[in-house]
Amino acid sequence: MGASRVCRTPHGRASVSDAMGSGDDDKKAFMAVFDELAGGLVEDEVRDGQVAIAVAWIKRMIAYNVPHGKLNRGLAVVDGVRALKQAQGEDVDADTMKRAMVVGWCIEFLQAYFLVADDIMDESVTRRGQPCWYRQPDVKMTAINDGILLEMMLYKCLKKYCKGLECYGDLVELFHDVTYQTASGQLIDLITAPIGEVDLSKYTMEAYMRIVTYKTAFYTFYLPAACAMRLCGVKDESAYEKANEICIKLGQFFQIQDDYLDCYGNPEVIGKIGTDIQDNKCGWLVVQALLKCNEDQRKIIEDNYGKKDAECEKKIKQLYLDLDIEAVYKKYEEESYADLKAIMEDQKVLPEGLFGAMLAKIYKRQK
């Protein structure tokens, strides 16, 4: 069987549980690879003659920003490689697994860069259960440069561990493309709903879906899946097209969950204080409210949405209760989950486990 296509095992598709492997073992090994990568990046600075205070700063900055999330994006590469290799009738050798974990961490470094920048732009307070990096008294706007360093570090890791592979150029191009797509989504998000300026005419479902597709779907779901496919030698462009289609739907599902949790989630569980209402975000909840509200209720949104005022925020949340937006979300969640399962099961070019592990991790999530 050629490496350029995805093949089935004699017994059909790999199950999701098989594809996911042992989560605890994977995470332990994954964290060990992080220690190796972070240590190597710091050692590179020392070998390059970097001054001691900068070496200490870089070590602290990496440790503070990179390894504290759920790590779903990075581990999705590991899950994906395992699912693809099983579908090809092959075992995952140690070198392939190591590279999958390295590439997974490259995505986590990219994620850290995005979050450092996003927190500055949104004037956020907390991230992953701790103060945002830029809110550290000695960091402030130095965080902008730190974000650039985090992005460049992923390419250093990619070069160190993957240069020489046939897929190396494709991986670099993939990271470039997805970074651009994500920045484009962030741009739409920022100019559609700038902090302090409320223009409800911009809050359309069309604008919202464009934002979430570009800001979230590509780097959260397509990037891990496509990285796994490249590492496993998949060259069939129709497979990448199908992966893109499924991952866009997964990303939309994930971001709508995120918008829901920003309002209804427990800050101690989700690791941040929800700010979408005060930040004037073009979010799924307010778009749904605008679709359901009457003129008086619309006036409440106009007068209170996007205000840095806790009482205004309470009025918006009460309006969401009055409109029963939570029930609208619950209905969407169940329908979207069923649709995604059907799409994954009906397609024939990729193993279901490539995406099933992703869906299993986000369905009914609380953070």
Side-chain angles (χ1 to χ4, degrees):
M1 61 186 71
S4 64
R5 60 192 178 92
V6 178
C7 303
R8 302 288 167 204
T9 64
H11 302 291
R13 299 180 181 188
S15 70
V16 173
S17 59
D18 288 341
M20 291 178 70
S22 171
D24 290 342
D25 288 347
D26 277 352
K27 191 161 186 178
K28 183 178 179 180
F30 195 57
M31 290 306 303
V33 171
F34 169 75
D35 291 339
E36 179 182 330
L37 295 178
L41 289 165
V42 171
E43 288 170 10
D44 286 347
E45 295 294 328
V46 173
R47 280 195 296 269
D48 193 44
Q50 180 63 279
V51 296
I53 56 171
V55 172
W57 182 281
I58 287 169
K59 182 177 181 179
R60 172 188 163 208
M61 184 267 292
I62 294 171
Y64 194 95
N65 290 290
V66 180
H68 302 296
K70 296 181 288 293
L71 309 180
N72 285 343
R73 293 168 182 83
L75 287 168
V77 182
V78 177
D79 292 336
V81 165
R82 188 177 285 117
L84 287 160
K85 286 294 185 183
Q86 186 171 10
Q88 293 169 343
E90 300 174 11
D91 293 328
V92 184
D93 61 62
D95 288 343
T96 299
M97 183 55 67
K98 174 72 173 290
R99 283 193 290 268
M101 291 187 176
V102 168
V103 173
W105 276 113
C106 288
I107 297 176
E108 293 295 334
F109 270 86
L110 183 63
Q111 159 80 338
Y113 162 50
F114 287 152
L115 296 185
V116 167
D118 191 66
D119 287 343
I120 296 169
M121 289 181 271
D122 287 348
E123 301 175 8
S124 297
V125 177
T126 59
R127 171 70 68 180
R128 294 172 169 174
Q130 60 186 2
C132 297
W133 176 241
Y134 83 98
R135 284 188 172 267
Q136 294 294 303
D138 62 334
V139 178
K140 299 179 181 178
M141 290 303 104
T142 305
I144 297 172
N145 191 66
D146 290 336
I148 297 169
L149 287 172
L150 287 167
E151 184 191 14
M152 292 302 101
M153 285 171 182
L154 84 84
Y155 293 106
K156 285 175 67 70
C157 294
L158 206 58
K159 181 179 179 180
K160 182 176 181 179
Y161 290 89
C162 296
K163 188 174 183 180
L165 297 178
E166 183 182 358
C167 65
Y168 175 66
D170 291 319
L171 288 171
V172 171
E173 184 177 273
L174 185 56
F175 275 93
H176 287 165
D177 290 346
V178 170
T179 301
Y180 183 81
Q181 289 169 323
T182 307
S184 296
Q186 177 76 347
L187 172 64
I188 305 166
D189 190 20
L190 292 168
I191 64 177
T192 298
I195 294 174
E197 294 181 28
V198 181
D199 182 355
L200 298 182
S201 68
K202 296 179 181 178
Y203 292 43
T204 65
M205 189 55 69
E206 178 186 12
Y208 175 77
M209 296 307 284
R210 178 78 178 185
I211 290 168
V212 303
T213 298
Y214 277 76
K215 185 178 176 179
T216 301
F218 290 121
Y219 94 94
T220 301
F221 294 97
Y222 180 69
L223 181 57
C227 282
M229 291 163 68
R230 290 298 180 193
L231 288 170
C232 291
V234 178
K235 297 179 181 177
D236 182 357
E237 286 306 312
S238 68
Y240 288 93
E241 291 170 6
K242 180 56 66 175
N244 189 61
E245 175 192 345
I246 292 171
C247 289
I248 285 174
K249 293 182 182 297
L250 277 166
Q252 292 167 349
F253 182 65
F254 178 84
Q255 186 58 53
I256 290 169
Q257 282 181 318
D258 223 42
D259 290 357
Y260 170 81
L261 290 171
D262 184 89
C263 182
Y264 293 98
N266 183 341
E268 293 182 3
V269 175
I270 64 176
K272 64 179 180 178
I273 299 169
T275 61
D276 284 2
I277 293 172
Q278 291 195 24
D279 288 348
N280 189 33
K281 286 293 183 182
C282 179
W284 189 83
L285 300 179
V286 72
V287 170
Q288 291 297 323
L290 288 167
L291 291 172
K292 293 189 68 176
C293 69
N294 58 35
E295 289 186 11
D296 290 340
Q297 290 168 328
R298 186 181 178 90
K299 186 71 165 58
I300 293 173
I301 299 174
E302 290 173 346
D303 292 343
N304 295 281
Y305 199 79
K307 302 288 178 60
K308 295 288 188 180
D309 185 303
E311 289 303 312
C312 292
E313 183 178 41
K314 285 181 182 178
K315 290 177 182 178
I316 295 296
K317 288 186 175 182
Q318 182 58 51
L319 178 61
Y320 290 168
L321 287 173
D322 295 342
L323 294 171
D324 206 5
I325 297 298
E326 187 168 14
V328 177
Y329 169 77
K330 295 294 185 183
K331 183 173 183 289
Y332 163 82
E333 184 178 42
E334 293 305 320
E335 290 177 350
S336 294
Y337 178 76
D339 288 345
L340 276 163
K341 286 287 289 182
I343 293 169
M344 290 176 187
E345 291 168 0
D346 289 345
Q347 62 86 26
K348 306 298 182 185
V349 295
L350 289 164
E352 183 187 345
L354 178 61
F355 308 105
M358 294 181 182
L359 183 57
K361 286 180 179 179
I362 66 172
Y363 181 55
K364 296 288 187 182
R365 69 188 176 100
Q366 300 298 312
K367 62 179 181 177

